[in-house]
């Protein structure tokens, strides 16, 4: 993971009198972090929670699928998970209270060679009108996208931006939804607005 902090010790980029030092490592939890999963657990598939929220807010999850519990791979920093692209997922239940009309910032490291639609992270009702939101990769569009649905055929928003990431390399993707109405949704690839 990547963070930028001000520093007087190192100069990587200098503009005026400000220097920045790039720090790599695990993301840090702050007061604005709702949930953070590193996906580096090696405890296998338990009868209960398998993936643990680092914030202490208790948004832990359960492995679902054929091989997700044992599919530990090298990540950008530490370990990661290898989802099979068909039925592997982590179920957080309905306790993660991020509604379709909430402001959001979501970021992930992803590595794929898959085709089709791939949810990076999503929350939606299990029955019509399927209110919820999704941050996804669509191979057919070579794009990352964000969408939310309040009611079927109305109050929907879908935003896509070109991002051909299915090359088998790690990519940092993010979405920022700065207001409840979905105005000015921004998608990012490698920290650059698309």
């Amino acid at each position: 993971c990547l963070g930028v902090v001000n520093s007087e010790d190192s100069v990587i980029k200098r503009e005026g009198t400000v220097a920045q030092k790039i720090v790599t490592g695990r993301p840090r939890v702050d007061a604005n972090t709702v949930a953070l999963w590193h996906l580096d657990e090696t405890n296998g598939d338990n009868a209960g929670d398998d993936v643990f929220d680092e914030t202490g807010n208790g948004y832990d999850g359960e492995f679902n699928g054929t091989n997700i519990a044992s599919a530990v791979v090298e990540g950008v920093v530490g370990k990661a998970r290898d989802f099979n692209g068909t039925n592997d997922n982590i179920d957080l239940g309905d306790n993660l209270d991020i509604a379709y009309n909430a402001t959001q910032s979501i970021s992930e490291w992803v590595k794929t060679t898959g085709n089709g639609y791939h949810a990076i992270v999503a929350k939606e009702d299990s029955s019509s009108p399927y209110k919820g939101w999704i941050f996804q990769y669509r191979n057919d569009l070579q794009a990352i996208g964000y969408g939310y649905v309040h009611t079927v055929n109305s109050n929907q928003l879908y935003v896509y931006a070109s991002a051909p990431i299915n090359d088998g390399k790690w990519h940092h993707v993010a979405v920022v939804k700065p207001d409840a109405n979905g105005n000015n949704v921004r998608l990012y690839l490698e920290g650059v607005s698309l």
Side-chain angles (χ1 to χ4, degrees):
C1 298
L2 179 69
V4 178
V5 295
N6 287 331
S7 171
E8 295 177 4
D9 301 331
S10 300
V11 175
I12 293 177
K13 180 179 178 183
R14 187 176 215 54
E15 292 183 21
T17 59
V18 177
Q20 291 183 332
K21 178 180 178 182
I22 296 178
V23 179
T24 59
R26 295 171 69 94
R28 295 178 191 96
V29 174
D30 65 21
N32 297 313
T33 308
V34 173
L36 174 63
W37 304 277
H38 293 295
L39 305 183
D40 60 356
E41 293 83 358
T42 57
N43 55 332
D45 191 2
N46 299 312
D49 293 330
D50 305 308
V51 177
F52 303 101
D53 173 16
E54 299 292 324
T55 66
N57 292 333
Y59 297 128
D60 301 331
E62 172 72 22
F63 291 136
N64 289 310
T66 55
N67 73 340
I68 189 66
S70 60
V72 179
V73 297
E74 289 301 317
V76 174
V77 176
K79 302 294 182 190
R81 290 284 164 198
D82 184 6
F83 295 83
N84 67 10
T86 56
N87 67 346
D88 285 351
N89 66 77
I90 299 170
D91 186 348
L92 301 171
D94 195 32
N95 63 353
L96 185 58
D97 189 22
I98 301 177
Y100 67 91
N101 61 348
T103 59
Q104 299 173 329
S105 294
I106 303 167
S107 67
E108 299 266 341
W109 282 101
V110 295
K111 178 180 177 182
T112 185
T113 58
N115 294 311
Y117 296 86
H118 298 280
I120 297 170
V121 63
K123 179 179 179 167
E124 65 182 3
D125 292 341
S126 59
S127 60
S128 184
Y130 304 105
K131 290 192 286 188
W133 52 266
I134 185 168
F135 183 33
Q136 67 181 350
Y137 175 70
R138 286 188 56 177
N139 186 58
D140 61 331
L141 298 177
Q142 290 286 293
I144 57 174
Y146 174 84
Y148 78 85
V149 175
H150 177 237
T151 56
V152 175
N153 298 324
S154 65
N155 296 327
Q156 298 181 17
L157 168 76
Y158 291 94
V159 177
Y160 291 97
S162 177
I165 62 171
N166 67 333
D167 58 5
K169 298 176 183 174
W170 285 104
H171 297 281
H172 188 262
V173 295
V175 59
V176 174
K177 182 177 156 224
D179 65 53
N181 296 320
N183 296 315
N184 301 311
V185 169
R186 295 182 309 274
L187 298 166
Y188 294 87
L189 175 62
E190 319 299 8
V192 176
S193 182
L194 300 173

